[in-house]
Amino acid sequence: MRKPTVTAGTVSSTRAVPGRIARPEYAATGVPGPYKLSCVKVTDGQIARMRKAGGVARKVLDAVLAEVRPGVATDELDRIAHELIVASGGYPSPLNYMGFPKSICTSVNEVVVHGIPDSRVLVEGDIVNCDVTVFYDGMHGDCSETVFVGEVDDAAKKLVRVTWECLMKAIDLVRPGQLLNAIGLVIEAHARENGFGIVREFTGHGIGESFHMSPYIAHFFEPDNTAVMEEGMTFTIEPMINEGVAECIIWPDKWTAVTADLSRSAQFEHTLLVTRNGVEILTGGRDPWFSRGEKSFALK
Ligand code: MF3
Ligand code: CO
Ligand code: CO
């Protein structure tokens, strides 16, 4: 078994959000409102606001990824994201969500998800997932990418590429009338074919006025889940794929999830809208992630 490459560092003090910025319902208490069962958007106004929230999340994620390099502390990535989100008039959705202490999640190497930005410095050869969620104009937009810190080994490149392919293959089949479990079917097949483990404990989720709502989106095949996609649904797909076993262990901080065998884990996430004919990626950029320059994604 591998040795840990990540240990808990020092978490900086809480970053302030100016009083003029509208906050989600849990911002003061840490407690999200009642779990909503429908993420279907019935008015154009809601969809327009989701587009805006997704656009801000995208812009912030791009800004964060541009700062990933050896020597940068994950807390510095959090600071950059926090400042850009509030300067854009948004609230960083993770901040105090069920007590989460920071504004983004940074998950390095064996950290599967929900890594807390801290004093740990990125080192050459790491892979890091940066997950940005923004509450803007009353809606949440949620996206993440895994990128390379300097040069990484070929196994890391393969893991990251296959994980991205899992997300894109799943997005490709989103349309009204499609079974929700088609997502897990295609992701599980592609990950397995490449010998990787598929995380089961964390799923995609409906999103909108609430950060997390119905439906949950499994990234593995659930034969009995007969729920169907409908026009106007907004949900995330965010597969977490491991080099080794699928199982996770949660640190005593109650957030950081690491792989049980300390193998590396990658993740990509988009917020999606089911349209009349197909799907719109609300957190998509103009360029696909792999063509944004050799810096992060020099895949062979
Ligand atoms: N952005 C994560 C997701 O994709 C959730 C982070 S919740 C937090 O659903 F509290 F850890 F920030
Ligand atoms: Co999400
Ligand atoms: Co996310």
Side-chain angles (χ1 to χ4, degrees):
M1 184 158 122
R2 287 177 184 244
K3 291 204 188 72
T5 71
V6 185
T7 51
T10 305
V11 179
S12 63
S13 48
T14 307
R15 296 187 207 282
V17 177
R20 63 187 147 76
I21 288 176
R23 290 151 152 75
E25 77 285 0
Y26 53 79
T29 61
V31 182
Y35 188 77
K36 292 204 184 77
L37 291 177
S38 174
C39 64
V40 175
K41 304 291 174 287
V42 290
T43 70
D44 284 350
Q46 289 175 310
I47 291 172
R49 291 189 293 123
M50 282 298 289
R51 285 199 182 99
K52 287 195 243 170
V56 177
R58 175 80 254 160
K59 175 183 78 176
V60 173
L61 178 58
D62 286 346
V64 168
L65 297 178
E67 297 304 320
V68 168
R69 66 178 73 88
V72 173
T74 52
D75 183 60
E76 174 66 5
L77 301 177
D78 182 78
R79 186 189 65 76
I80 290 162
H82 182 92
E83 287 177 5
L84 185 55
I85 291 168
V86 301
S88 306
Y91 179 96
S93 306
L95 188 61
N96 207 30
Y97 178 80
M98 296 172 78
F100 192 82
K102 290 282 128 191
S103 299
I104 61 172
C105 298
T106 52
S107 300
V108 176
N109 297 337
E110 68 267 23
V111 179
V112 173
V113 73
H114 300 163
I116 299 172
D118 65 14
S119 56
R120 186 192 183 279
V121 163
L122 298 172
V123 298
E124 179 102 16
D126 283 345
I127 60 171
V128 58
N129 174 274
C130 300
D131 190 333
V132 171
T133 315
V134 173
F135 182 70
Y136 184 85
D137 211 355
M139 297 293 191
H140 296 268
D142 189 2
C143 52
S144 84
E145 290 190 17
T146 300
V147 294
F148 308 144
V149 181
E151 275 300 308
V152 303
D153 59 49
D154 286 347
K157 287 180 184 170
K158 182 183 171 193
L159 175 70
V160 171
R161 173 176 56 79
V162 169
T163 304
W164 179 78
E165 288 167 355
C166 282
L167 173 60
M168 297 319 279
K169 281 173 184 281
I171 291 174
D172 268 353
L173 49 76
V174 173
R175 59 176 163 74
Q178 177 71 271
L179 288 168
L180 274 173
N181 71 11
I183 292 171
L185 185 64
V186 74
I187 292 172
E188 180 164 342
H190 192 55
R192 272 181 192 276
E193 215 164 86
N194 285 280
F196 294 140
I198 303 132
V199 172
R200 302 174 75 90
E201 286 100 320
F202 304 95
T203 65
H205 48 94
I207 185 168
E209 288 89 350
S210 300
F211 191 172
H212 295 106
M213 60 203 288
S214 185
Y216 72 92
I217 308 290
H219 303 114
F220 53 92
F221 183 48
E222 286 187 313
D224 299 333
N225 184 355
T226 56
V228 167
M229 297 177 199
E230 289 171 52
E231 182 179 353
M233 276 185 166
T234 49
F235 57 79
T236 73
I237 305 178
E238 47 183 300
M240 285 138 277
I241 305 296
N242 302 346
E243 271 184 303
V245 300
E247 287 72 30
C248 304
I249 289 168
I250 311 280
W251 280 7
D253 66 17
K254 298 204 168 67
W255 283 107
T256 311
V258 297
T259 56
D261 60 2
L262 300 177
S263 67
R264 292 172 294 190
S265 182
Q267 180 178 29
F268 287 83
E269 174 175 26
H270 274 308
T271 296
L272 306 166
L273 166 70
V274 182
T275 62
R276 193 161 62 81
N277 312 314
V279 62
E280 182 179 329
I281 305 180
L282 296 174
T283 47
R286 221 158 240 295
D287 303 310
W289 64 279
F290 55 81
S291 68
R292 209 183 293 135
E294 74 234 14
K295 191 177 92 48
S296 315
F297 303 113
L299 295 173
K300 288 171 207 125

